[in-house]
Amino acid sequence: MREFAYAAPQNLQEAIELLSRAPDDGRPLAGGTDLIVQMKERRKNPSLVVDVKRIPELNVLTWDERQGVRIGAAVPCARIVAFAPVRERYPALAEACGLIGSVQIQNRAALGGNFCNAAPSADAVPPVLVYAGTLVIAGPTGRRQLPAEEFFLGPGQTVLGKGEMLVEIALPPPPALSGAAYLRFIPREEMDIAVAGVASFIRLSADRRRCEQARIALAAVAPTPVRAREAEEFLIGKPPDETNLAQAGELAARAANPISDVRGSAAYRLELVKVLTRRTLQKALERLV
Amino acid sequence: MEQRVIGTRLPKVDAPERVTGKAAFGADLQLPGMLWAKIVRSPYPHARIKKIDPSKALALPGVKAVITATDLPPLAKGATAPLVGEMSINLTAIREIALASEKVRYHGQSVAAVAAVDPFTAEEAAQLVEVDYEELPLVEDVLEAMRPDAPLVHEDLFTEEEATRQKATRPSNIATHMVYSRGDVEAGWRAADVVIERTYRTQMVHQGYLEPQACAARVEPDGKVTVWTSTQGVFTVRTQLVELLGLPASRIKVVPMEIGGGFGGKALAICEPIVAVLAQKTGRPVKLVLSREEVLRATGPGAPAVITVKAGATRDGKLTAVSTTMCYDAGAFPGSPVGRGILVGLAPYKLENMWAEGFDVVTNKPRVQAYRAPGGTPAAFAVEALMDELAEAIGMDPLEFRLRNAAAQGDLLPLGMPLNRVGLKTILEQVKAHPCWTTPLHGPNRGRGLALGYWIGGTFTSSVEIRVNPDATVSVFVGTVDLTGTRTAIVQMVAEELHLSPSDISITVGDTDTAPYADLSGGSRITYTMSTAVHQACQDTLAQLKERAADKLKVSPADIEYSERQFRVRRDPQKAVTLKEVARESVAWGKGPVIGKGSTTRMQPAHAYAAHVADVEVDPDTGKVKVLRYTCFQDVGRAINPVQVEGQMQGGAVQGIGWALTEEYVFDRGVLKNANLLDYRCPVALDLPMIDTVIVEVPASEGPYGVRGTGEVSIVPPGAALANAIYRATGVRLYELPMTPERVFWAMRARRGPGEVQMAAAD
Amino acid sequence: MKREVTLQVNGEPYTVIVDTRETLLDALRYRLGFLGPKEGCGNGNCGSCTVILDGAIVDSCLVFAVEAEGAEVTTVEGVAVNGQLHPVQQAFIATGALQCGFCTPGFIMSAKSLLERNPNPTEQEIRLALSGNLCRCTGYDKIVRAVMTASQALAKVA
């Protein structure tokens, strides 16, 4: 591992200043379950590590009827899963956060880290996308917000500029008559990186006979997490029956562009997208509120 | 006579230190002035080493030495291949694995090692050692390696015909060829109503011990070298170091640390020579701990194989002939367990007509080591899956088919030895009556599979020394490293024979200076051979004690009987003296302290059979296999400690389940792509149900308690048990391990037939 | 770079100077002499290094020592109280839930933590909670049974 300086600022401004002034390879550290592994393997070699866990804004975890839920970037998965409003109102996110790694990993790994590491297989990202999440970013020039799916540029690459940090993930209140679910496929029952992951969100008409809105986000099957827009559009106006869910699955696979690697072949991943899309849509319907 | 301690569920005597974190494993050793070692490894799977330049590494502050193979003395002429437990290997190969000399033959092979003041400096120094390589063509697959035009892993390797010891004239990657046969297989095919031939393939796997290799060395003021190591055999390591370091045995002491799992993979001295030479060169103690990546890339995995099996049977269920060709991949140096594969695969069957051919083949991959019943799992996968197909083809229940053809006492094993008393038929009868077999399995996509297993059980040498303390407690000394709870089993045996309670007995696993000689721990041999050695030592101890009691009571020793800590005169039981009294006086009486000894070298094998039953459910949309229920039946002869026996059965079964469903080395042009425990997938707790065990006790033919070796056979059946279960769940047979979800998925899609793998002809 | 870290381990305060690159596991083992937590993989895939950090189990190989400034850490050495083994430790011994013992310290921490969060877990809940700890010797059966036994023992005490 390369030698590095360590700082643990207690406020956001200081963190931004440290990252702005560092030579290009300064890194924020939240849970460390990705960054420390990468530093040990010399895939990332920061000269400065800025521990962001003591910054109050990054530890926010609140919910209200109007705003929905706000999750600080450093909040670990375990806290998110334990937060009743998330379990009750954003079950797909609770699902995902409860799947990452192990209990030990979930006690450290942060939602913000899952985003900033920007692995295509990040489990917690698709639920945020289908819940229409927005991200709050702070940097030397101030704050900005953007829709979550605009955050990713490629594997391991985000839109964060020099000195910028992810501060918060915000999810609006889900509309009535909607439900969402996240499922991923792994060869074991736990610990594995997703071979494919799908989050689905569906909202029905008042008479529950037709789909009015759908969002489907895919993990591990493209250079970034992606929305399956063709599948989403297909579902609008259609009855949410088996045939249509299956067709949505077929269309969702068209949004995928997977690679073959030690975890699975591209062809298999496409098949999994079909299955997981169908199953998450089904589960989302069962959760309809 | 009823046994009071043997057969009880005594908790492990060395458990308290393990649950409190006090047991000292290899990496826990700390010595004043200690340096940290780090190995420099080849980035190429096959290359000539042109030049090694350590200067930049040596210039780094904190770096104290850099060594290469030139720092090891040349091997003495006539240095023989050591028997390292269950697999032999020649010393040149061990030396090359420790530090490569002219060539590297697998990615990650050790070419140099550094010693520095802390692990970070050592890591950096290893990066600064500059090595020039000339890349050579790579041969990765076992069948490719057998082709006459394949690149040679060893230019001086000539195929040896095992039976005649004759060598071929052209070099080859086939190190050994063997054929075992009897009867007339052609007549057997003609007599059969159904003949089936299939080809099976398994991948390289790792033993997956949680503790990476760790060892340390220090040179004493008189030049003697002390080596601390997590190893399966202190004497085995010393024997190797004698040759590798060019030092006599009296100048080397090997001290065992607790071992965090071995399973056959911690027998070769591939790390110890490095720390010893670095300690000699720097004058300071040196410690080496491998990273998990190094463990996966560069220690000794379990051998992969390509196996063709052909079997014929009549409609009434009699096997008429079996033939097989087994090609085992040894990795970079010869010595795969192909012979064991032939033995294990066919051992459950009474065979009049048999033909078995084996090839030991080298490739540019890490040299394999033993992995719990080495060679057995791939072979049993092939044979047991084929037998399942054959039984179905003749319309017979798979269990009945096994019963009809089960080997029994007097039948010949595949390599020629006749079986002594064995329990295979007993096991099968118990399976037949057990709910795991009789309870119907309901529900879609579910199926049940059966498979048999066998292990010969090692013997080799074990010794024990028993010292009676003046207060009538007893200290036991052994040289056998405790892999599986053998400390506890030995304590139970001594307690039983001397009528003591386990708390009266201390047991020490000594080092090579203090312990009585023992061969490697492994091969399922310790409890078995120790049962004889302990019995002898107890008898010797009692004889010495009786002599002293007789002297005190003024009778002859033949008149004395011992029971429950009392020595009584047989004809006059009022005349008695206690064990305590005899012990107290013994250090200054007669011939001095009572030290009882026992040793054994050549017991006959105590063959161990097993049968596993697996229930699975397969997700037809993804191919994922869930194990619903798993039951292991095993003949252990006599369970000295049932808890430990159950634990061995369960642990081996789960390793076999991993081998069957999720574990495999994935290579890309000779480079291991999944050298971490994320993508090399060992089963986790949530992957498994409870593993039910049925202990069958058909006493072994030799030994005072009828004990059989227990630790290994359980890894043999799971491959086929699960393949057969998956077939019944899906209608699809798989011919390759592991049966990952993706493989099952595509097989279900294709409903394809048997694997089509062409066997290369021998040279 | 060197930094000073002050933390509590098993109820006692310690101050150490560490290289920023050292993990909490390294510091516990080689600076402070708590050799119970083990390194099995170095990247959070085996759980042999599990300790309790500020009340929650973590893989100490994925925490820098400097991050533990001001933290409370419990290792396996701190589980027995006044020499009295914890019911989890007793259950592991009685049930035969260990063989080589290398993974045992990590499992003890995970099991103890589980029973504090969920005093009466089902078999599946136990298996899920322990999936971050690999064992290669036991096949997990007796470990799961030991946790069930311990949960009953703790219920009696409560």
Side-chain angles (χ1 to χ4, degrees):
Chain A
M1 200 187 295
R2 183 188 173 189
E3 288 198 58
F4 62 91
Y6 169 86
Q10 309 218 16
N11 72 71
L12 185 54
Q13 207 43 49
E14 196 186 329
I16 292 169
E17 270 163 37
L18 283 165
L19 288 168
S20 307
R21 281 191 277 115
D24 272 334
D25 48 5
R27 283 272 169 188
L29 169 69
T33 55
D34 285 318
L35 181 60
I36 297 180
V37 175
Q38 291 156 356
M39 288 171 70
K40 286 186 179 189
E41 293 173 2
R42 292 181 177 237
R43 284 187 282 140
K44 289 201 169 93
N45 303 290
S47 62
L48 168 68
V49 168
V50 178
D51 187 340
V52 299
K53 293 190 285 295
R54 296 171 202 270
I55 301 172
E57 290 97 316
L58 270 64
N59 288 303
V60 153
L61 184 60
T62 61
W63 172 82
D64 72 51
E65 289 271 3
R66 252 187 346 99
Q67 288 201 328
V69 72
R70 292 171 57 211
I71 304 172
V75 175
C77 289
R79 261 188 81 204
I80 297 171
V81 174
F83 191 50
V86 167
R87 282 203 316 278
E88 289 156 15
R89 294 161 198 278
Y90 305 88
L93 180 62
E95 233 150 19
C97 290
L99 285 173
I100 293 176
S102 57
V103 174
Q104 292 92 323
I105 297 289
Q106 289 161 29
N107 282 330
R108 296 291 284 178
L111 180 59
N114 211 225
F115 267 81
C116 294
N117 188 49
S121 54
D123 287 307
V125 171
V128 171
L129 299 197
V130 304
Y131 282 127
T134 55
L135 307 180
V136 176
I137 294 168
T141 54
R143 287 196 181 215
R144 59 190 178 108
Q145 286 195 26
L146 80 169
E149 63 231 16
E150 291 176 17
F151 188 65
F152 304 98
L153 296 176
Q157 291 168 45
T158 70
V159 298
L160 291 176
K162 180 130 171 71
E164 283 195 307
M165 279 175 50
L166 179 61
V167 175
E168 191 180 293
I169 300 103
L171 306 183
L177 289 174
S178 74
Y182 176 73
L183 285 173
R184 68 174 184 181
F185 182 81
I186 52 171
R188 294 183 291 181
E189 288 299 309
E190 193 58 1
M191 295 307 281
D192 291 332
I193 298 289
V195 181
V198 177
S200 292
F201 165 93
I202 192 162
R203 177 166 66 81
L204 296 187
S205 57
D207 62 6
R208 292 176 179 245
R209 303 247 291 267
R210 289 179 322 281
C211 165
E212 285 207 344
Q213 187 182 31
R215 293 190 206 105
I216 300 168
L218 315 177
V221 292
T224 66
V226 287
R227 292 272 297 276
R229 294 192 196 268
E230 208 184 332
E232 294 170 0
E233 276 154 31
F234 165 78
L235 284 168
I236 296 177
K238 304 251 180 5
D241 59 34
E242 245 184 73
T243 313
N244 287 324
L245 297 192
Q247 181 60 10
E250 295 286 326
L251 292 170
R254 303 233 283 248
N257 183 20
I259 57 168
S260 295
D261 65 13
V262 288
R263 297 176 189 143
S265 70
Y268 183 55
R269 286 175 146 126
L270 291 174
E271 297 300 318
L272 290 172
V273 167
K274 297 176 192 173
V275 174
L276 294 174
T277 301
R278 199 171 24 87
R279 289 182 179 176
T280 48
L281 284 168
Q282 188 59 51
K283 215 168 166 192
L285 286 167
E286 284 160 19
R287 286 185 170 151
L288 222 61
V289 161
Chain B
M1 193 198 97
E2 189 171 300
Q3 291 179 319
R4 320 161 304 140
V5 188
I6 285 180
T8 63
R9 301 176 77 88
L10 187 73
K12 236 164 115 68
V13 299
D14 48 5
E17 54 260 44
R18 284 163 219 281
V19 300
T20 53
K22 300 289 188 213
F25 295 82
D28 298 329
L29 184 72
Q30 308 264 69
L31 296 165
M34 198 173 75
L35 299 172
W36 291 78
K38 186 83 182 162
I39 295 176
V40 180
R41 298 188 177 278
S42 164
Y44 300 108
H46 198 196
R48 227 171 281 289
I49 302 172
K50 309 287 288 297
K51 189 161 107 97
I52 302 181
D53 179 2
S55 54
K56 292 207 174 82
L58 285 167
L60 187 68
V63 177
K64 301 300 179 188
V66 179
I67 61 169
T68 66
T70 56
D71 291 291
L72 289 171
L75 288 173
K77 270 202 159 21
T80 52
L83 184 62
V84 183
E86 300 185 284
M87 282 168 62
S88 67
I89 182 170
N90 79 50
L91 278 156
T92 309
I94 303 177
R95 193 180 187 279
E96 288 293 310
I97 295 170
L99 284 164
S101 56
E102 286 154 16
K103 250 179 101 169
V104 289
R105 295 181 171 86
Y106 56 97
H107 179 260
Q109 188 171 353
S110 161
V111 301
V114 310
V117 294
D118 65 68
F120 297 118
T121 307
E123 187 200 336
E124 213 182 319
Q127 307 246 332
L128 292 173
V129 174
E130 291 177 332
V131 187
D132 288 343
Y133 296 96
E134 177 199 321
E135 258 193 284
L136 296 169
L138 153 74
V139 59
E140 190 184 303
D141 173 76
V142 64
L143 297 181
E144 292 295 314
M146 291 170 73
R147 294 164 58 96
D149 55 350
L152 291 172
V153 179
H154 296 265
E155 288 91 0
D156 58 350
L157 180 63
F158 299 87
T159 309
E160 181 177 288
E161 191 57 50
E162 196 192 59
T164 62
R165 302 246 165 265
Q166 288 220 312
K167 289 208 194 248
T169 49
R170 272 189 60 213
S172 159
N173 292 316
I174 300 172
T176 309
H177 175 248
M178 61 193 70
V179 175
Y180 293 91
S181 68
R182 61 171 173 263
D184 180 352
V185 286
E186 293 302 322
W189 305 138
R190 289 192 299 270
D193 292 317
V194 178
V195 175
I196 301 184
E197 181 175 27
R198 298 281 182 253
T199 299
Y200 301 84
R201 187 185 265 271
T202 68
Q203 312 301 328
M204 196 167 251
V205 292
H206 197 270
Q207 298 85 349
Y209 33 80
L210 262 295
E211 180 210 22
Q213 274 78 354
C215 59
R218 181 177 67 198
V219 180
E220 308 306 336
D222 65 354
K224 184 167 175 177
V225 177
T226 306
V227 174
W228 292 262
T229 177
S230 296
T231 177
Q232 292 176 233
V234 288
F235 289 96
T236 312
V237 168
R238 189 182 72 177
T239 302
Q240 295 171 69
L241 289 177
V242 161
E243 304 295 341
L244 295 168
L245 301 178
L247 290 174
S250 54
R251 312 304 295 150
I252 300 175
K253 178 164 91 170
V254 181
V255 181
M257 303 299 287
E258 296 301 330
I259 178 171
F263 313 115
K266 288 184 181 166
L268 292 190
I270 57 175
C271 293
E272 292 85 345
I274 293 174
V275 290
V277 174
L278 283 170
Q280 288 172 326
K281 214 164 179 193
T282 60
R284 288 169 67 165
V286 178
K287 178 157 120 184
L288 173 66
V289 181
L290 296 189
S291 70
R292 177 57 55 180
E293 185 183 348
E294 289 178 292
V295 172
L296 288 167
R297 279 196 204 290
T299 57
V306 178
I307 297 172
T308 299
V309 187
K310 182 174 173 182
T314 54
R315 289 221 181 274
D316 68 349
K318 175 126 170 52
L319 269 175
T320 59
V322 179
S323 75
T324 180
T325 302
M326 300 196 179
C327 302
Y328 272 67
D329 185 342
F333 298 88
S336 73
V338 55
R340 287 281 189 259
I342 291 172
L343 171 64
V344 171
L346 301 178
Y349 301 98
K350 182 184 170 70
L351 296 173
E352 284 160 25
N353 304 314
M354 180 204 88
W355 187 90
E357 179 179 32
F359 293 90
D360 175 30
V361 182
V362 293
T363 60
N364 291 120
K365 297 203 288 295
R367 168 38 163 82
V368 302
Q369 288 194 40
Y371 178 12
R372 211 164 191 164
T377 304
F381 165 57
V383 173
E384 290 302 297
L386 186 90
M387 293 303 177
D388 195 71
E389 259 198 89
L390 187 56
E392 192 192 35
I394 59 172
M396 195 175 221
D397 170 84
L399 179 59
E400 287 304 323
F401 184 69
R402 300 317 199 288
L403 265 168
R404 184 85 168 74
N405 296 285
Q409 185 162 8
D411 292 335
L412 291 180
L413 283 169
L415 307 191
M417 177 195 296
L419 285 170
N420 50 30
R421 183 166 55 225
V422 292
L424 177 56
K425 285 193 176 150
T426 308
I427 288 173
L428 289 169
E429 295 294 350
Q430 291 207 20
V431 174
K432 199 168 167 182
H434 194 277
C436 79
W437 190 252
T438 60
T439 313
L441 180 60
H442 293 302
N445 306 310
R446 292 183 167 191
R448 175 170 296 158
L450 166 76
L452 307 184
Y454 165 86
W455 188 248
I456 186 166
T459 50
F460 314 129
T461 300
S462 291
S463 318
V464 62
E465 196 173 284
I466 298 178
R467 299 184 200 160
V468 179
N469 300 317
D471 65 351
T473 62
V474 151
S475 300
V476 179
F477 290 84
V478 296
T480 46
V481 167
D482 186 345
L483 288 188
T484 59
T486 47
R487 271 189 190 103
T488 306
I490 293 167
V491 164
Q492 284 176 268
M493 292 190 272
V494 173
E496 189 73 53
E497 295 235 8
L498 299 184
H499 300 187
L500 297 174
S501 93
S503 56
D504 296 323
I505 303 166
S506 81
I507 179 160
T508 304
V509 175
D511 59 50
T512 52
D513 279 357
T514 57
Y517 183 88
D519 281 319
L520 189 79
S521 292
S524 313
R525 68 174 210 92
I526 300 306
T527 307
Y528 175 56
T529 54
M530 273 300 183
S531 69
T532 294
V534 164
H535 179 71
Q536 277 180 20
C538 287
Q539 296 302 307
D540 185 17
T541 305
L542 279 174
Q544 294 177 45
L545 288 166
K546 279 182 184 172
E547 222 176 44
R548 288 153 171 78
D551 211 48
K552 254 182 109 64
L553 295 170
K554 311 247 185 293
V555 294
S556 101
D559 297 327
I560 295 283
E561 59 188 14
Y562 172 74
S563 174
E564 303 301 330
R565 305 173 198 245
Q566 300 260 350
F567 295 91
R568 288 176 219 278
V569 177
R570 195 175 285 108
R571 307 171 268 108
D572 187 1
Q574 301 290 45
K575 288 174 79 174
V577 69
T578 66
L579 175 64
K580 252 209 160 82
E581 289 172 283
V582 176
R584 188 174 57 227
E585 294 172 12
S586 69
V587 290
W589 198 268
K591 302 198 184 82
V594 173
I595 301 176
K597 296 189 184 155
S599 192
T600 174
T601 58
R602 272 204 203 158
M603 295 175 72
Q604 46 176 304
H607 311 276
Y609 281 95
H612 288 191
V613 178
D615 287 351
V616 303
E617 182 179 270
V618 181
D619 181 338
D621 292 330
T622 64
K624 189 158 182 181
V625 176
K626 183 171 166 172
V627 183
L628 300 173
R629 183 173 183 174
Y630 201 92
T631 312
C632 309
F633 297 76
Q634 187 171 323
D635 175 14
V636 305
R638 178 82 170 96
I640 302 290
N641 185 318
V643 178
Q644 289 185 171
V645 166
E646 291 160 4
Q648 289 300 300
M649 291 165 70
Q650 291 164 335
V654 169
Q655 285 180 309
I657 292 171
W659 199 326
L661 296 181
T662 53
E663 294 178 43
E664 61 179 320
Y665 270 30
V666 179
F667 285 96
D668 177 15
R669 280 162 300 181
V671 177
L672 183 62
K673 301 305 281 180
N674 56 336
N676 57 65
L677 291 179
L678 173 62
D679 290 314
Y680 181 82
R681 300 189 191 96
C682 301
V684 300
L686 196 56
D687 291 322
L688 299 158
M690 293 297 185
I691 308 293
D692 298 326
T693 57
V694 176
I695 294 177
V696 176
E697 290 178 310
V698 173
S701 294
E702 191 180 345
Y705 313 115
V707 167
R708 294 178 191 277
T710 292
E712 289 177 281
V713 65
S714 196
I715 201 173
V716 173
L722 290 165
N724 296 339
I726 290 170
Y727 169 66
R728 290 199 174 67
T730 63
V732 173
R733 291 204 183 263
L734 281 103
Y735 298 92
E736 184 171 2
L737 293 184
M739 298 174 289
T740 59
E742 180 158 3
R743 285 204 178 97
V744 175
F745 178 83
W746 292 123
M748 288 171 71
R749 272 287 170 97
R751 299 251 154 192
R752 76 163 83 104
E756 281 143 27
V757 180
Q758 300 305 317
M759 308 297 294
D763 198 1
Chain C
M1 286 187 57
K2 300 270 195 250
R3 291 271 299 225
E4 186 182 275
V5 179
T6 298
L7 73 166
Q8 261 208 21
V9 183
N10 300 332
E12 296 288 333
Y14 295 90
T15 298
V16 277
I17 310 244
V18 299
D19 186 311
T20 50
R21 294 173 290 183
E22 280 176 53
T23 60
L24 177 59
L25 179 64
D26 293 333
L28 286 168
R29 285 175 56 78
Y30 300 122
R31 300 273 181 201
L32 296 172
F34 293 101
L35 295 166
K38 308 292 182 204
E39 178 147 338
C41 73
N43 53 22
N45 289 306
C46 78
S48 299
C49 65
T50 304
V51 301
I52 296 176
L53 174 64
D54 289 334
I57 52 167
V58 299
D59 293 316
S60 60
C61 72
L62 291 187
V63 178
F64 287 125
V66 289
E67 293 180 79
E69 171 67 37
E72 284 180 26
V73 176
T74 310
T75 71
V76 67
E77 288 97 332
V79 170
V81 176
N82 293 328
Q84 176 84 340
L85 293 180
H86 188 280
V88 167
Q89 291 169 311
Q90 289 174 24
F92 266 62
I93 296 177
T95 313
L98 62 142
Q99 292 179 29
C100 80
F102 189 82
C103 73
T104 305
F107 269 99
I108 300 282
M109 306 318 289
S110 294
K112 175 177 180 313
S113 172
L114 166 65
L115 293 177
E116 283 162 7
R117 298 190 312 269
N118 181 354
N120 198 15
T122 62
E123 181 193 334
Q124 289 307 110
E125 285 171 338
I126 294 172
R127 289 183 180 278
L128 175 62
L130 297 182
S131 280
N133 292 78
L134 285 185
C135 176
R136 204 56 166 160
C137 293
T138 66
Y140 304 105
D141 182 297
K142 292 184 191 300
I143 292 176
V144 173
R145 291 182 198 277
V147 176
M148 288 168 166
T149 300
S151 81
Q152 286 157 23
L154 283 163
K156 286 205 185 96
V157 170

